Amino acid sequence: MSAQPPVFSEQDLQACNTLGLPARAPVAVLEDESAIPALCEALAAGGQTDAPLFVLGGGSNLVIEARPRHRVLRVALRGIRLWDDAAGHWIVEAAAGESWHGFVAHCLARGWPGLENLALIPGTVGAAPVQNIGAYGLELDQRLHSVVAWDLRAGRERTLRPDECGFAYRDSLFRRDGAGRWLIVRVRFALPKAWTPRLDYPDLRDHPGLRGAGGASGAGGPAHEAAATMPTPRQVFDAVCDIRRRKLPDPAVLANAGSFFKNPVVDADQADRLQRQFPALRTYPQADGRVKLAAGWLIEQAGWKGRRLGPVGMHERQALVLVNHGGARAADVQALARAVRADVRKRFGVGLEQEPVVLD
């Protein structure tokens, strides 16, 4: 006998989004993959009369309206396993409902390094490919093996390779296709057995915990000294966690959705003009010849660091993070976002794109 589809019922979603915005919607919880075929049948039978579906992970990259028109499917699938012990890599699979940071810590504890630069990012494993998360010199697609997802419109399961996921900077096929098409159920990562630290990001490279890491050097020549001073995966993990805790507010203490704007990418000529006008501007050359600008620096220079607009504001330590000081609604968040974007465009001629998804 096939499993029944998840049942939707009216629920409070304020605790299900890290911005702490009040909301109510029909919600169902998916705890078993065997219920997905029945869910697809129910969605197909509903036609255009039923509310559209929104797949919810940890709610850490979300601006939610008080009464969204969507039904919400919360993914609570669990499980982590070594899917394949391949030559050169451990292929590790995690269910979509697993905590992302918990998964990174689990891999490290099992001796499977490679994700430590992405430690302490809030959210779930299933949500991570949607946004193509990245931090401190590492992007998720650089470690991805495959994504197992249901195409809910077609009613079938697919396994997608990285080149089929349409990854871009904080973007993917899963995001561009819109809410309600893709239901990610499992994600696999290729973690290198010949691990080397990724220390490209200045804050990480200069972190006190990584200076001279790996033990004191001694006799044995340059090769021995290089090996002795290379940090361990645990040291990189701890440094990343320390940096994030110092820079970013804990959503459990001060409600926020992490980085609220994407770092804008502009052509080289525009970056050069801005660099001449603003010598302190932080720029990051890209492989395609364009240049990424630090959105936090732009926002701070536009006067928004630590500044409030009603119940919301940009964080006092990190201008890129929009925080809810209490009592905010989606309209307050979007009003602040519009004001920040307008001031940055006026001062620098650069547009900012919002990172969190809107559930309306």
Side-chain angles (χ1 to χ4, degrees):
M1 184 175 179
S2 61
Q4 296 297 306
V7 177
F8 290 86
S9 62
E10 187 84 2
Q11 293 182 29
D12 185 349
L13 287 169
Q14 187 164 14
C16 300
N17 71 99
T18 60
L19 261 171
L21 302 177
R24 294 189 67 83
V27 179
V29 180
L30 178 66
E31 298 179 302
D32 188 342
E33 283 189 48
S34 66
I36 298 176
L39 171 66
C40 291
E41 291 177 8
L43 292 172
Q48 300 300 312
T49 58
D50 284 341
L53 186 71
F54 184 90
V55 179
L56 178 65
S60 60
N61 194 48
L62 184 67
V63 176
I64 183 170
E65 299 283 351
R67 280 284 179 178
R69 59 191 174 90
H70 289 78
R71 291 176 294 169
V72 175
L73 181 67
R74 293 189 62 195
V75 179
L77 303 171
R78 297 287 188 267
I80 301 172
R81 63 171 178 149
L82 181 63
W83 185 73
D84 188 18
D85 191 351
H89 292 84
W90 293 286
I91 312 300
V92 184
E93 179 185 83
E98 291 286 345
S99 153
W100 173 259
H101 177 68
F103 170 61
V104 174
H106 177 89
C107 288
L108 201 59
R110 294 294 301 271
W112 307 325
L115 297 173
E116 50 284 329
N117 292 55
L118 307 182
L120 217 61
I121 294 178
T124 60
V125 168
V130 176
Q131 190 188 355
N132 189 22
I133 62 172
Y136 304 109
L138 181 69
E139 304 293 309
L140 176 133
D141 61 344
Q142 296 170 344
R143 293 285 189 249
L144 189 76
H145 175 274
S146 54
V147 175
V148 181
W150 275 77
D151 182 340
L152 296 178
R153 294 179 192 169
R156 64 189 182 100
E157 184 183 88
R158 290 186 58 189
T159 299
L160 293 94
R161 302 184 309 270
D163 61 342
E164 297 175 298
C165 294
F167 286 125
Y169 172 61
R170 302 296 170 268
D171 198 11
S172 70
L173 165 78
F174 311 110
R175 180 165 177 160
R176 288 192 298 275
D177 277 358
R181 176 170 183 180
W182 295 102
L183 171 57
I184 295 174
V185 292
R186 281 167 279 132
V187 188
R188 297 171 186 145
F189 297 88
L191 305 182
K193 294 181 178 179
W195 177 87
T196 56
R198 298 289 296 269
L199 304 177
D200 312 271
Y201 197 84
D203 279 6
L204 189 57
R205 185 175 61 244
D206 300 334
H207 189 273
L210 298 181
R211 292 183 195 144
S217 61
H224 176 84
E225 290 184 13
T229 58
M230 188 175 78
T232 66
R234 170 60 64 178
Q235 287 170 320
V236 176
F237 175 91
D238 290 342
V240 168
C241 291
D242 178 62
I243 294 168
R244 293 188 72 90
R245 289 186 177 113
R246 284 190 285 108
K247 279 192 165 188
L248 305 173
D250 182 348
V253 178
L254 181 59
N256 72 88
S259 298
F260 198 82
F261 297 101
K262 298 180 182 181
N263 289 318
V265 180
V266 301
D267 62 52
D269 289 342
Q270 184 179 6
D272 187 57
R273 290 194 301 270
L274 286 168
Q275 191 88 66
R276 289 197 302 269
Q277 188 176 357
F278 305 98
L281 174 65
R282 298 175 187 173
T283 61
Y284 306 92
Q286 303 298 290
D288 63 1
R290 296 186 298 164
V291 179
K292 184 187 295 182
L293 310 179
W297 188 91
L298 299 173
I299 294 167
E300 181 175 350
Q301 298 305 306
W304 280 100
K305 186 176 184 179
R307 183 175 163 190
R308 293 176 61 159
L309 186 63
V312 292
M314 306 312 292
H315 193 249
E316 60 185 10
R317 293 198 308 270
Q318 173 51 271
L320 191 55
V321 176
L322 188 152
V323 299
N324 175 7
H325 291 285
R329 295 180 175 271
D332 300 309
V333 173
Q334 299 296 10
L336 175 58
R338 285 193 298 270
V340 171
R341 281 197 297 264
D343 282 356
V344 168
R345 183 173 288 279
K346 180 179 179 181
R347 182 170 175 79
F348 300 102
V350 174
L352 293 180
E353 183 181 348
Q354 179 173 313
E355 194 166 309
V357 174
V358 176
L359 173 53
D360 58 8

